[in-house]
Amino acid sequence: MNAASDHSTMSSGSSVPSIMGRFVRAYLVRHGETAWTLTGQHTGRTDLALTAHGEDEARELAPWLRRLQFTHVWVSPRLRARQTCELAGLGSVSELEPDLEEWDYGDYEGQRSVDICGTRPGWDVWHDGCPGGEKPADVAVRIDRLITRLGTMHGDIAVFSHGQLGAGLAARWIGLPIAEGRHFALHPASMSILGHESGHPNVRVIELWNATPVALSAAARRGAAIA
């Protein structure tokens, strides 16, 4: 079995330990707005800072994150993710995690999908990857390595990352092929929760997806719990 097929068929039933009845839970946060978020340009290794609005978005996450006691805070080394983590109030306890970096878009860095498809009709990053950058199987290896590490941990883990890497993480978390990440849209400065079915430690679930501070505030007014 080759690497791509191996990662595409990983079961969501992998054993995940519980410490004192608490399964590991990953709070996935996408970084706030950047200039290229607005233009739709693929942003991988380019180290863009947050816009002023992006900084405000990150600060708005702080009230929700401070309610939680994280055993670890992981953050992508990219500036936009580190700024989001800092402004959200967790920078002082964060640990850099290279596997959380966004896809390496290679020759397509800074380009928009619509422009790429103009010269390469039918191109899809989730299927074709990027020349000079990463293929979907490469990203799956990084994500599965993260999931394996999470499976050895306990409690709540904050994870600051990026749009397409986060989407791929969600897909792999529940045992789907990496290409299914195309169905998991992530907005800037959104929070999602990757956890486990209550009473079934071998069943990984998505407890919350793509919630922005506005949506979280609305949930709080309705009395809904986010943790």
Side-chain angles (χ1 to χ4, degrees):
M1 180 179 293
N2 60 36
S5 61
D6 180 48
H7 287 288
S8 297
T9 57
M10 173 182 166
S11 170
S12 61
S14 300
S15 178
V16 180
S18 164
I19 304 291
M20 297 178 65
R22 284 296 308 277
F23 310 135
V24 67
R25 179 184 282 162
Y27 285 74
L28 170 64
V29 180
R30 184 188 174 187
H31 64 77
E33 178 191 272
T34 70
W36 284 9
T37 303
L38 295 172
T39 57
Q41 293 169 264
H42 289 296
T43 319
R45 60 181 179 268
T46 303
D47 234 5
L48 295 182
L50 300 179
T51 61
H53 178 62
E55 292 178 356
D56 289 339
E57 290 178 319
R59 291 188 187 97
E60 290 171 357
L61 287 166
W64 303 101
L65 296 176
R66 74 166 62 104
R67 300 178 182 189
L68 303 161
Q69 293 186 331
F70 293 110
T71 59
H72 293 274
V73 176
W74 291 351
V75 59
S76 161
R78 294 304 177 192
L79 176 60
R80 54 197 183 275
R82 290 187 284 111
Q83 283 186 308
T84 301
C85 181
E86 183 71 33
L87 293 170
L90 295 175
S92 63
V93 294
S94 64
E95 310 165 44
L96 293 182
E97 176 46 69
D99 281 340
L100 286 174
E101 290 195 25
E102 183 60 289
W103 287 52
D104 182 347
Y105 295 110
D107 298 346
Y108 294 157
E109 179 77 8
Q111 297 190 44
R112 300 181 305 160
S113 292
V114 63
D115 298 324
I116 298 168
C117 289
T119 58
R120 186 178 173 182
W123 174 80
D124 180 355
V125 67
W126 296 101
H127 179 267
D128 303 311
C130 304
E134 287 184 300
K135 298 178 180 178
D138 300 326
V139 180
V141 168
R142 289 202 281 125
I143 289 173
D144 288 353
R145 192 160 55 217
L146 284 167
I147 291 175
T148 297
R149 287 183 60 198
L150 286 168
T152 69
M153 306 173 83
H154 70 280
D156 296 331
I157 315 290
V159 176
F160 288 81
S161 190
H162 306 270
Q164 289 193 306
L165 193 286
L169 176 58
R172 299 300 298 134
W173 182 260
I174 57 175
L176 298 177
I178 184 68
E180 297 306 310
R182 61 167 57 90
H183 301 295
F184 293 88
L186 268 180
H187 296 151
S190 61
M191 186 173 76
S192 305
I193 303 175
L194 309 179
H196 300 86
E197 179 68 23
S198 178
H200 298 279
N202 294 329
V203 180
R204 294 197 294 262
V205 300
I206 298 174
E207 298 183 23
L208 179 74
W209 187 253
N210 204 27
T212 61
V214 171
L216 291 168
S217 296
R221 288 194 296 271
R222 295 194 303 269
I226 64 164

